[in-house]
Amino acid sequence: CAHSKPLKISTCVLIAIKDNGLDMRNDMAIEFEIDSAPMLASFLLKVQEEAFLRIPLAQINNPYCWIAMIPSPKLDDQGIRVDSNSDITAALSNFDINVARIKLNATCVECTSPGMETLAETWST
């Protein structure tokens, strides 16, 4: 995409301490901006042959149909796999992510501690 928008994640962090003469209140806004991060994931799925042969071609792109074909392992009363040596039915075999650039922006909304403004400026890239 030539006109893709960056992913922005932002949060506010408040650190306040009021005890024995110490009165500190640091309210900061922190934002991460990721320009591009292509991901590649490889999955290993064991599906039931009979269910695979019965799937309508119109539903072949439906991920819920594929999930429904994965056999569930035998579990005990507490939901723990009975035979840990049995075949794996689903696995994430490979996951790659390539982050081109992450931009961090921190600003003091209300900071009373000395040096917090400087710290916020240092974090911002």
Side-chain angles (χ1 to χ4, degrees), residues 9-15 25-32 103-113 115-125:
I9 302 168
S10 48
T11 187
C12 291
V13 177
L14 173 63
I15 301 171
R25 182 178 174 84
N26 297 310
D27 189 2
M28 299 183 71
I30 300 173
E31 178 180 87
F32 293 96
K103 181 180 177 185
L104 172 64
N105 186 25
T107 55
C108 275
V109 177
E110 179 187 348
C111 295
T112 60
S113 295
M116 285 306 287
E117 292 281 346
T118 306
L119 181 63
E121 289 173 15
T122 303
W123 281 353
S124 297
T125 56

Side-chain angles (χ1 to χ4, degrees), residues 10 15 17 24 38 46 50 53 78-79 85 88 90 104 108 111:
S10 48
I15 301 171
I17 300 174
M24 177 184 80
K46 179 179 179 181
E50 184 180 324
L53 295 174
Q78 297 176 343
N85 295 327
I88 296 173
L104 172 64
C108 275
C111 295

Side-chain angles (χ1 to χ4, degrees), residues 39-106:
M39 291 182 263
L40 176 65
S42 300
F43 294 94
L44 172 66
L45 300 176
K46 179 179 179 181
V47 297
Q48 296 170 333
E49 180 181 2
E50 184 180 324
F52 177 74
L53 295 174
R54 287 189 319 211
I55 189 170
L57 287 178
Q59 298 297 321
I60 202 78
N61 289 336
N62 187 335
Y64 298 109
C65 291
W66 284 93
I67 292 170
M69 289 189 287
I70 300 171
S72 58
K74 293 181 182 178
L75 306 176
D76 64 12
D77 294 340
Q78 297 176 343
I80 299 172
R81 184 185 288 248
V82 175
D83 184 11
S84 62
N85 295 327
S86 64
D87 290 339
I88 296 173
T89 55
L92 174 63
S93 59
N94 189 23
F95 182 76
D96 293 321
I97 185 168
N98 184 10
V99 178
R101 188 182 90 174
I102 297 176
K103 181 180 177 185
L104 172 64
N105 186 25

